[in-house]
Amino acid sequence: MEENKNSKELVKTVGLATATFTVVGSIIGAGVFFKPQAIYTATGGAPGIAMLCWLIAGLVTICAGLTVSELATSIPKTGGMAIYIKEMYGDMFGFLAGWVQVFLYFPAMIAALAVVFADQFVALSGMPSMKMPITVLMLIIVFFFHLQGGKQSAAIGNISTVSKVLVLFIIIIAGFILGKNNASITQPFIGEGVNPVVAGGQVLLALFFVFDGWINVCALAGEMKNPAKDLSKAIVGGILIVLAIYVIVNIAYLRVLPAKTLGGSASPGLDVAKAIFGDIGGLIIGAGIMISVFGCASAFSFTGSRVLYAIAQDDVLPKSDKLSKLNKNGVPGNSIIVIGIISFIYAMSGQFNLLSDFAIFSIWIFIVLTFFAVFKNRKLKDPKTFAFRVPAYPLVPILAILGGAFVLGVQLITSTLLSLGSIIILLLGVPIYKWGSKKVKNNNI
């Protein structure tokens, strides 16, 4: 965004339409093509509870968006969640929010996308031995592009957006017209012997990955023309558009293949395409899915490296002076390389669902903390002065908290080691922050 030279503030150029499209573009990604496997595996091949969870996830995400909108408009600063955490809980918690994003969330998301990109290549080529080489090659290409400058990143994003929208549109139209599976999309509700509470939690965790990205628009609050009027509309409107697309495309999936088949597929979107169009048509759609996945990974690597670069500006991290340097192309080269190395380490697991769950669990700890911040903010400030107040307060924030807490709780119970690993990495940020803060304080004496 252009900077106002007199006020040294970002010019407010973002309107409702741009913000809404940012929400839609940020959310729609790889999950809609690949998460049906995890969803229908968790439900025992039953579609009913899965379709219900789509609506619940959409409702919780809307409540979450409305809740965070109040914070975003009462703290109209560019930066998003980490800024709200810092304002409400102090510098250390703000640092930890950034720490988790940089060392857990972004690298795990990038790694998950690299793995699923390779899975898609294997499904198209029939060469399983190429999974790890393709995973590594994809990461190298993504981060190489980012080291070259911002124009390349923007081009990848534009191509990816066109690809994913086109592929979804084709699958929806063809699925409804050519799909021959007339089985119910609501029955059976749950698979035999499957615990509905545990299954519901696992499905919601998968769906929060699919809906992930909505909070990114809050980072634009400081650049919006009228955040008080438009931010909540953009978030809720964008989420509703995406929810409608997701529900319709999943009905289209079920019109083509039964839920049990989707649950056993490593690449449900591709298998649906093959069932509709045959191998050649499936190959074309599969290539479109791969482009979409590549673009998603590129977007996460772009944002993640900038978050690390921003944290390094405070000089708290080790080697902050190196991480806050720009290379000859005007991008934070060292930060890009660090995010790339961490992503590479995570990608060696080769597990898409494990990595995506790892990422979502880590970030939702702070998203739930952000929901609680709404109550704290109202104690510190007079709500009557807020440009936007969350409707049906305190019900909407409570629903957002309960939704997030439920998923975190299920993850702790069903994937204890994974969850504890996230928490340990989070806690490692505490001594690093204290060491770095002490160093900064000493340097300023």
Side-chain angles (χ1 to χ4, degrees):
M1 289 291 172
E2 181 186 359
E3 192 176 271
N4 185 318
K5 292 180 181 179
N6 295 323
S7 66
K8 298 298 182 183
E9 292 181 357
L10 292 169
V11 176
K12 297 180 180 294
T13 57
V14 178
L16 175 59
T18 300
T20 302
F21 284 123
T22 299
V23 174
V24 174
S26 297
I27 296 176
I28 296 178
V32 69
F33 300 116
F34 297 97
K35 276 299 180 179
Q37 179 198 30
I39 291 167
Y40 294 119
T41 297
T43 67
I49 191 172
M51 296 306 294
L52 176 63
C53 284
W54 275 105
L55 299 177
I56 293 172
L59 175 63
V60 170
T61 307
I62 289 169
C63 289
L66 288 169
T67 301
V68 175
S69 291
E70 180 173 302
L71 276 179
T73 51
S74 65
I75 309 171
K77 297 179 181 179
T78 298
M81 183 181 69
I83 293 294
Y84 314 145
I85 295 288
K86 182 177 180 179
E87 290 276 329
M88 292 292 104
Y89 301 105
D91 290 346
M92 186 177 79
F93 279 92
F95 171 82
L96 291 175
W99 168 269
V100 163
Q101 288 183 75
V102 166
F103 291 97
L104 280 175
Y105 173 68
F106 283 114
M109 291 291 274
I110 296 163
L113 291 165
V115 168
V116 85
F117 180 92
D119 284 339
Q120 185 79 351
F121 177 86
V122 169
L124 289 171
S125 66
M127 296 188 289
S129 62
M130 291 299 293
K131 177 175 177 176
M132 193 52 66
I134 293 296
T135 301
V136 173
L137 180 62
M138 189 262 210
L139 289 171
I140 291 172
I141 293 172
V142 165
F143 287 100
F144 174 79
F145 269 116
H146 285 299
L147 288 169
Q148 307 312 305
K151 288 184 178 179
Q152 289 80 355
S153 304
I156 293 169
N158 292 336
I159 294 169
S160 167
T161 300
V162 171
S163 244
K164 62 190 176 186
V165 170
L166 185 61
V167 167
L168 286 173
F169 181 77
I170 291 171
I171 289 176
I172 288 171
I173 299 299
F176 277 95
I177 294 175
L178 303 175
K180 298 177 181 179
N181 180 35
N182 294 316
S184 171
I185 63 169
T186 59
Q187 296 297 326
F189 182 75
I190 190 73
E192 188 176 346
V194 177
N195 184 316
V197 176
V198 173
Q202 291 173 333
V203 171
L204 285 174
L205 186 69
L207 293 182
F208 282 144
F209 171 83
V210 180
F211 276 101
D212 183 59
W214 60 270
I215 201 169
N216 293 341
V217 75
C218 294
L220 297 175
E223 300 166 61
M224 292 186 70
K225 296 175 185 176
N226 192 345
K229 181 182 176 183
D230 293 340
L231 183 61
S232 61
K233 290 180 181 177
I235 291 175
V236 174
I239 291 168
L240 285 172
I241 291 169
V242 172
L243 176 60
I245 292 171
Y246 280 170
V247 170
I248 292 169
V249 79
N250 274 275
I251 293 173
Y253 283 169
L254 293 170
R255 285 277 298 152
V256 178
L257 296 174
K260 279 193 175 181
T261 303
L262 293 170
S265 169
S267 183
L270 176 61
D271 285 348
V272 167
K274 284 183 175 179
I276 298 171
F277 303 111
D279 288 342
I280 300 299
L283 185 67
I284 296 170
I285 297 296
I289 294 172
M290 287 182 73
I291 293 170
S292 173
V293 172
F294 187 91
C296 291
S298 175
F300 277 109
S301 60
F302 179 90
T303 307
S305 61
R306 269 60 179 183
V307 172
L308 178 55
Y309 171 76
I311 294 173
Q313 302 295 312
D314 294 332
D315 203 29
V316 174
L317 284 171
K319 302 295 181 182
S320 288
D321 57 329
K322 304 290 185 186
L323 295 170
S324 59
K325 274 188 176 180
L326 300 179
N327 68 11
K328 63 181 181 180
N329 297 315
V331 296
N334 292 328
S335 289
I336 291 171
I337 291 168
V338 168
I339 294 291
I341 291 170
I342 301 170
S343 302
F344 173 81
I345 293 169
Y346 287 160
M348 291 303 97
S349 70
Q351 300 295 315
F352 168 63
N353 287 316
L354 180 145
L355 287 165
S356 59
D357 289 352
F358 187 50
I360 294 304
F361 179 85
S362 68
I363 201 65
W364 267 83
I365 293 172
F366 283 94
I367 291 177
V368 171
L369 198 60
T370 305
F371 298 154
F372 278 109
V374 170
F375 297 96
K376 184 177 176 65
N377 194 38
R378 286 199 174 210
K379 288 182 179 180
L380 295 173
K381 304 172 186 175
D382 182 2
K384 292 178 182 178
T385 65
F386 294 171
F388 172 81
R389 284 177 285 176
V390 61
Y393 178 89
L395 179 61
V396 168
I398 288 172
L399 286 174
I401 290 168
L402 289 176
F406 174 71
V407 172
L408 291 174
V410 170
Q411 177 77 337
L412 272 168
I413 294 168
T414 59
S415 301
T416 305
L417 289 177
L418 185 74
S419 305
L420 290 176
S422 293
I423 293 168
I424 288 169
I425 295 175
L426 187 163
L427 293 176
L428 283 174
V430 175
I432 289 175
Y433 172 79
K434 290 184 175 179
W435 172 82
S437 297
K438 186 177 179 180
K439 180 190 70 172
V440 171
K441 185 177 180 181
N442 291 336
N443 289 340
N444 291 332
I445 292 175

